Amino acid sequence: MVRYSVVSPTFGPPSPLRAARELRAEFPRVVLVLAAGDLVASFGFSLFFPFLTIYLVQRLGASASQAGLVVAAYAVCSIPSGLIGGWLADRIGRRPILLGSVSVTALIVISMAFATEVWSVTVLMLILGCIDPAFVPAARAAVADTVDEARRPRAFGLLAVANAVGWIAGPVIGAGLSTLGYPFLFGVSGVLIATYTAIGLVWLPETLARASDGRGRALHHGTAPGPETAPGPESVPGRGGYSVPPLHPGRRPRAARPAARPRRRAAGRPPP
């Protein structure tokens, strides 16, 4: 008599190590690098940005309307910055636009630690609005270059989650760091944003050339589509089996010419 034992499945939250393995198996390295960079950069940016108006009003003596205009100036400049950043990413490359934008952003945030006037902070925020958002379309284009269409929603979702986690944790930590002084807060924010540049310099490749020659979709599998990987006639599904669809639908195919018959030699004539 054979006895069968039933093992009840265990339910619970997945471990971080298992989740990391699944992400590494599902997405190429480019997506994971971008997600890590978005997490660090958004955390660093959100350390100071929610407290910028408080800094302008309480420490620099600006009015509430002036502080609001400074933040609005950043938002207005970010609109053309994203458009121009995407245009440059398609012509120069994703990597230089992304790293250049993040690097200049880190320098501007660190420079704000030495700005002691309202006008100087306003100028820095105007420049920041023109530079900082340019990395967003470059990063999203790099994802589109390396991830197939079916997995792009999950890849973009991963980047959005990383950005959201940074913005959730940043203000909480920034509130505590602001008690040590706003110059110190700006310095820490700039260093964290610069960490994105270091991550990109080491692990982020250029994806524009790979996408232009048709290899971008195969980076995750390590192979490029070519004659040996292209679908053959037998792999194209047709009606009643597998067949090749006609090149010109609606046009009747030409009948094959019959093979030519060999001519008979005359009797008694030697072969040539």
Side-chain angles (χ1 to χ4, degrees):
M1 182 176 179
V2 181
R3 296 181 179 180
Y4 297 93
S5 60
V6 179
V7 180
S8 60
T10 58
F11 299 95
S15 63
L17 186 60
R18 178 183 176 185
R21 281 202 216 99
E22 292 178 355
L23 291 175
R24 187 176 180 183
E26 182 176 2
F27 298 115
R29 187 183 64 180
V30 173
V31 177
L32 302 180
V33 171
L34 292 174
D38 276 7
L39 175 62
V40 174
S42 61
F43 176 71
F45 197 85
S46 61
L47 282 178
F48 80 93
F49 195 81
F51 310 102
L52 182 61
T53 54
I54 300 175
Y55 171 68
L56 290 171
V57 173
Q58 293 184 356
R59 299 299 174 90
L60 301 185
S63 62
S65 59
Q66 289 176 338
L69 288 175
V70 171
V71 177
Y74 167 82
V76 171
C77 292
S78 65
I79 297 174
S81 174
L83 298 175
I84 296 173
W87 183 81
L88 291 175
D90 288 337
R91 283 152 181 81
I92 300 176
R94 287 64 160 116
R95 190 172 188 265
I97 298 301
L98 191 149
L99 296 181
S101 172
V102 175
S103 301
V104 176
T105 298
L107 293 176
I108 294 174
V109 173
I110 293 175
S111 300
M112 292 179 67
F114 306 97
T116 57
E117 300 291 339
V118 177
W119 67 267
S120 58
V121 176
T122 304
V123 171
L124 290 174
M125 289 300 294
L126 286 171
I127 301 174
L128 186 63
C130 295
I131 299 298
D132 171 53
F135 87 94
V136 177
R140 301 314 183 256
V143 172
D145 292 340
T146 55
V147 180
D148 56 88
E149 189 173 356
R151 296 181 180 179
R152 283 179 201 168
R154 287 177 56 83
F156 289 134
L158 179 62
L159 266 62
V161 168
N163 185 69
V165 170
W167 273 95
I168 291 172
V172 178
I173 306 300
L177 293 179
S178 63
T179 59
L180 303 176
Y182 284 95
F184 177 76
L185 180 63
F186 289 131
V188 173
S189 300
V191 171
L192 287 174
I193 296 173
T195 306
Y196 195 171
T197 304
I199 294 173
L201 286 173
V202 177
W203 289 293
L204 184 65
E206 177 58 59
T207 62
L208 178 60
R210 298 177 180 179
S212 61
D213 61 6
R215 292 197 297 266
R217 304 293 181 267
L219 287 180
H220 177 57
H221 304 287
T223 60
E228 66 278 0
T229 58
E234 66 279 357
S235 63
V236 181
R239 184 176 298 178
Y242 287 87
S243 60
V244 180
L247 295 178
H248 304 282
R251 183 184 300 180
R252 298 181 60 183
R254 296 180 180 179
R257 294 182 179 180
R261 297 180 179 178
R263 294 181 298 176
R264 289 187 175 183
R265 297 196 307 269
R269 182 180 298 179

